Amino acid sequence: ALVTGANGFLGVALTERLMARQEGPVRCLVRSGSQKERLERVVSTGSGAEIVTGALASPEAAAAAIEGADVVYHLAASLRGSTADLFLGTVVTSKNLLEAVRLSDRRPRIVLVSSFSVYGVAGLRRGSLVDELTPLEPHPELRDPYAQAKLRQELLFREYAERLSLPLVVLRPGVIYGPEGGAMSTRVGLSLPGIFLHLGGGNPLPLSYVANCAEAIAVAGSTAEAEGQTVNVVDDAPLSSRSYLRRFKRDVGSFRSLYVPYPVLLGLAHGVRWYHRHSRGQLPALLTPYRVASTWKRTRFENGRLRKLGWSPPFSTDEGLRRTFERLKERREAGERVP
C-alpha cells in the first residue's frame, strides 16, 4: 500500500491503522523537508511500514512512488494558501499521480479522500439529508478555493477511472477531529480577535474522529464491495454545534462567544455583498449568501453505506471528544491559542 500525504494529520492515523491491521507493507510518501516526527514515532512502534522521501511533482516522480503498489491511498492535498497553491497541491499533483498510473502496466485500487465540501448544499432545503446521492456543487466559483480544488480533484479521478477502468473508491469525510488537529471547525463558528462567533447553532456536525476516519479508509482499501463506490465518512450519533461548543468550554477552557442566528448571518451576508458591489470592491466579499448557505445551513447526515462495508468505529464519539479535549487543554496551557 502507498499512502500519499502520510505525514499529515490524517495520514499518520491511517498509517497507524494500516500497521495495526497487518494487511501488508505500507509505503509512506513524504515530501523532502516536511515535518515527519509524529509519523516516525508511529512507524517505529512496529514493523511493516517505511517512510519514503518523494513527491508527486511530475508523472515521473509519481511513477517512482507508485511502483509495486496494489492500493494507493491518496490523501495528499493543500489545505490552505492562495487559489494557485491549492490547485497546485491538490489538482496538479493528483493529475501527475493519475498520469503515472496511466503510463504503468498496473491498475492499483485507488482510495481517494475527498471532502463534504464537494456537495452542493446551498440549494437544499434546511434539514435536508446529505448522503451520497446529494448532487455535487453546481457553482464552485461561488465557493472558497479549497472547495473548488477538492471538487476538481474528485472529478479528475472519476474521469481517469472511467477512461482507464481504474478500481476507484471515493471517500467523503465530514469534520475530521482529533488530539493533534484543529480546535474548532468553521461549521461551529469563526474566531475573531477577542471573541468567537458561534454560527452553527443547533446544526448537527458531521464529526469523524481521526482514528475512525482512518479505519474507514483502510476498510475501503481492503474490501471488495467498496470498489466503485462513493462513501460518506461520519461517526454515529452526530453532536450539535451548540453541544460541541458547550463541551469544549467545559473541558478545554472558557472564552467569549457570541451566537449569531442563521437568519441574522444570512442578512449580514447580503449586506456585505451589497456593499462590496456598490463600493467597487473596497470591502472584500468574504461572506456571501451562497457561502453562508453552504456552510451553516442546517443539514443532516448518516453513515449507512459506510456501515454496510463492514466499518465499525474503534472509538465512540464520547471517547474521541475526551481524548481530543484533553490534548487541546494541554496545548492551551502550554500557551497555544485555542481556539
Side-chain angles (χ1 to χ4, degrees), residues 188-192 195-200 256-260:
V188 179
L190 300 174
S191 183
L192 301 180
I195 195 167
F196 180 82
L197 297 182
H198 176 211
L199 308 177
R256 291 180 61 207
S257 64
L258 174 66
Y259 172 52
V260 182

Side-chain angles (χ1 to χ4, degrees), residues 2-334:
L2 168 69
V3 180
T4 70
N7 61 316
F9 172 51
L10 181 57
V12 173
L14 175 59
T15 299
E16 189 171 26
R17 296 307 300 173
L18 291 174
M19 290 175 63
R21 292 168 67 92
Q22 296 182 336
E23 295 177 353
V26 182
R27 180 185 303 153
C28 304
L29 185 66
V30 177
R31 288 182 301 175
S32 177
S34 299
Q35 294 184 346
K36 53 184 179 180
E37 291 79 10
R38 288 184 57 239
L39 180 62
E40 288 175 335
R41 286 197 297 269
V42 167
V43 171
S44 68
T45 61
S47 59
E50 63 170 343
I51 300 175
V52 175
T53 301
L56 303 176
S58 67
E60 293 75 22
I66 68 171
E67 185 178 357
D70 297 308
V71 184
V72 176
Y73 297 97
H74 188 53
L75 281 63
S78 294
L79 301 178
R80 59 188 62 85
S82 67
T83 301
D85 290 336
L86 284 164
F87 270 77
L88 179 63
T90 302
V91 181
V92 176
T93 54
S94 293
K95 186 166 186 178
N96 291 336
L97 173 67
L98 290 165
E99 277 295 295
V101 173
R102 182 182 69 83
L103 296 172
S104 170
D105 58 357
R106 298 172 64 89
R107 292 295 181 262
R109 173 179 291 196
I110 297 179
V111 180
L112 170 65
V113 178
S114 185
S115 167
F116 259 39
S117 67
V118 303
Y119 285 120
V121 299
L124 300 180
R125 297 177 61 179
R126 292 193 72 185
S128 295
L129 175 67
V130 176
D131 61 15
E132 292 84 357
L133 299 179
T134 299
L136 295 179
E137 176 58 71
H139 300 292
E141 72 281 2
L142 300 179
R143 296 286 297 274
D144 60 90
Y146 173 78
Q148 296 176 37
K150 291 301 289 184
L151 177 61
R152 184 67 194 108
Q153 179 194 47
E154 183 172 323
L155 294 176
L156 184 69
F157 270 88
R158 293 190 183 281
E159 291 169 12
Y160 272 80
E162 183 176 357
R163 190 194 320 169
L164 305 178
S165 299
L166 291 179
L168 174 67
V169 186
V170 176
L171 298 183
R172 295 172 180 159
V175 176
I176 306 173
Y177 74 101
E180 303 304 324
M184 201 72 70
S185 165
T186 55
R187 286 179 179 266
V188 179
L190 300 174
S191 183
L192 301 180
I195 195 167
F196 180 82
L197 297 182
H198 176 211
L199 308 177
N203 296 351
L205 292 176
L207 294 176
S208 178
Y209 185 58
V210 64
N212 296 344
C213 185
E215 177 68 10
I217 298 170
V219 167
S222 61
T223 306
E225 291 75 17
E227 186 174 317
Q229 290 207 44
T230 299
V231 184
N232 285 350
V233 181
V234 294
D235 288 344
D236 299 327
L239 202 68
S240 73
S241 169
R242 183 175 291 112
S243 297
Y244 182 94
L245 182 61
R246 186 181 298 121
R247 181 162 175 173
F248 187 104
K249 289 184 176 182
R250 184 194 73 189
D251 295 348
V252 180
S254 186
F255 51 88
R256 291 180 61 207
S257 64
L258 174 66
Y259 172 52
V260 182
Y262 181 76
V264 175
L265 180 63
L266 197 57
L268 178 62
H270 279 285
V272 170
R273 184 176 64 178
W274 179 87
Y275 189 80
H276 170 77
R277 289 174 176 173
H278 287 76
S279 67
R280 297 183 180 180
Q282 292 183 29
L283 178 67
L286 299 177
L287 193 68
T288 67
Y290 199 89
R291 290 181 182 177
V292 166
S294 299
T295 307
W296 295 292
K297 178 184 287 186
R298 180 172 299 181
T299 49
R300 298 178 292 113
F301 318 95
E302 56 90 31
N303 58 13
R305 188 175 290 189
L306 179 60
R307 280 287 191 178
K308 287 181 181 178
L309 291 180
W311 171 83
S312 180
F315 298 93
S316 67
T317 297
D318 188 69
E319 179 64 13
L321 290 172
R322 185 189 67 78
R323 290 173 175 237
T324 300
F325 290 162
E326 281 184 357
R327 177 63 180 131
L328 288 174
K329 185 175 182 180
E330 292 175 359
R331 288 162 56 182
R332 193 182 199 205
E333 292 174 346

